[in-house]
Amino acid sequence: KYLAQIILVGAQVVGRAFMRALRQEFAASRAAADARGRSERPQSAAASRITGISLQEAQQILNVSNLNPEEIQKNYDHLFKVNDKSVGGSFYLQSKVVRAKERLDEELRIQAKDEKEKGWKAET
C-alpha cells in the first residue's frame, strides 16, 4: 500500500515537472519566433511562416549569401540533382532544397514588388 502511494506521488511530481518544462520551452519558442518575425519585414515574415523556413535558413541550404537569381538557380539545380533518390540521394534533403528555393523565390518577388512600389512613389 505504501509502495503504491510512493510510486503515485513520484509519478505526479515527475509529471508536473515535465509539464512545467514543456510550458517553458513553448514560451521560449514563441518568444524566439516573435523576435525573428519583428526583425524581418512584415511580408518577409509572412513568407517565412507560409513556407515554414526563414530567409537565413534558405540561404544556408542553397549556399548563397545574397539574392542573386542566377546563383540561386545554379545552386538549386546542383543540389536537387545531387540529392535525387535515383542516384542514392535523400528525398528529405531534396525537399529541403525545394523549400529553400521556394522561399528565396518568394523573397525575390517581395523585393521586386517593393522596388516597383518605390518607383511609383518616386514618379508622383
Side-chain angles (χ1 to χ4, degrees):
K1 179 179 175 183
Y2 293 116
L3 182 61
Q5 287 178 336
I6 291 171
I7 291 172
L8 184 62
V9 169
Q12 288 175 343
V13 168
V14 169
R16 285 186 194 129
F18 178 75
M19 287 305 294
R20 190 176 319 118
L22 192 61
R23 280 190 211 111
Q24 288 175 347
E25 182 61 32
F26 183 69
S29 176
R30 179 176 282 166
D34 289 344
R36 186 175 56 241
R38 282 192 300 270
S39 68
E40 297 178 350
R41 296 185 317 257
Q43 292 174 330
S44 187
S48 292
R49 281 193 299 279
I50 291 169
T51 59
I53 188 171
S54 71
L55 178 60
Q56 291 79 16
E57 185 179 1
Q59 287 177 313
Q60 286 177 345
I61 290 170
L62 289 180
N63 194 26
V64 292
S65 56
N66 55 9
L67 296 178
N68 179 351
E70 293 81 23
E71 184 181 3
I72 292 170
Q73 187 63 45
K74 184 182 113 190
N75 289 0
Y76 167 78
D77 291 338
H78 172 72
L79 290 170
F80 189 83
K81 195 181 334 175
V82 167
N83 288 302
D84 190 7
K85 196 166 186 167
S86 65
V87 295
S90 165
F91 179 74
Y92 172 76
L93 292 177
Q94 194 177 40
S95 67
K96 291 294 270 186
V97 169
V98 170
R99 297 294 164 251
K101 173 84 164 65
E102 288 174 350
R103 177 63 182 92
L104 293 176
D105 287 344
E106 183 65 20
E107 190 66 25
L108 287 169
R109 188 190 65 74
I110 290 169
Q111 283 184 357
K113 183 180 174 186
D114 287 347
E115 288 174 9
K116 188 175 181 182
E117 287 176 0
K118 286 179 185 176
W120 285 349
K121 289 179 183 176
E123 290 175 4
T124 58

